[in-house]
Amino acid sequence: MSVTLSSFARAALVSALVLGLLDAVWIPMIAGPMFKVALGDAMLGTPRLAPALAFYTLYPVGLTLLAVRPALLKQSLQSAILLGATTGALAYGTFDLTNLALLEAYSLRLALVDWAWGTFASSASAAAGFLVAQRTSTRATSG
């Protein structure tokens, strides 16, 4: 199966939506309060919009490139889940381990919770992107 630009774009869009929705619940309810306790006044009261938009645009494109596209080529939801988790573990692990190495207030507990979340959220987002791209590609080739 070839991966068309439109199926790639749909996958990235759906991945972004799922990641955004998951984070819209996770951040205010769990992560935000944890980070606030750990970082105190070093944490902004309101996130900066431009970097947040850049992340929620760029990360799903990377997730689609590294996880969804290879899974579509193999026609494997299991691959999307595993590759999404691997991408998330690498990306969030890099963030959390760097913070743990450089920030005095960054705790091992905070790093592990955030790392696990990023792994899960990336896996779920990649799976959703895969399913939408697969469904739309199947319809396009059978219709």
Side-chain angles (χ1 to χ4, degrees), residues 54-125:
F55 172 78
Y56 287 103
T57 300
L58 296 172
Y59 188 71
V61 170
L63 195 57
T64 303
L65 183 64
L66 298 171
V68 177
R69 184 178 182 279
L72 284 169
L73 293 172
K74 291 171 66 173
Q75 286 297 293
S76 171
L77 175 60
Q78 184 176 359
S79 288
I81 292 167
L82 181 61
L83 290 169
T86 301
T87 302
L90 289 170
Y92 281 75
T94 299
F95 171 80
D96 288 306
L97 291 173
T98 300
N99 286 342
L100 199 54
L102 298 175
L103 303 175
E104 186 176 338
Y106 210 82
S107 68
L108 178 60
R109 179 177 178 268
L110 184 59
L112 292 175
V113 169
D114 188 64
W115 196 350
W117 172 255
T119 301
F120 163 76
S122 298
S123 182
S125 299

Side-chain angles (χ1 to χ4, degrees), residues 22-61:
L22 289 172
D23 274 356
V25 174
W26 171 256
I27 292 171
M29 294 182 74
I30 298 166
M34 282 180 57
F35 274 82
K36 185 67 176 166
V37 167
L39 301 177
D41 290 338
M43 191 167 155
L44 295 172
T46 303
R48 291 185 179 117
L49 187 57
L53 286 174
F55 172 78
Y56 287 103
T57 300
L58 296 172
Y59 188 71
V61 170

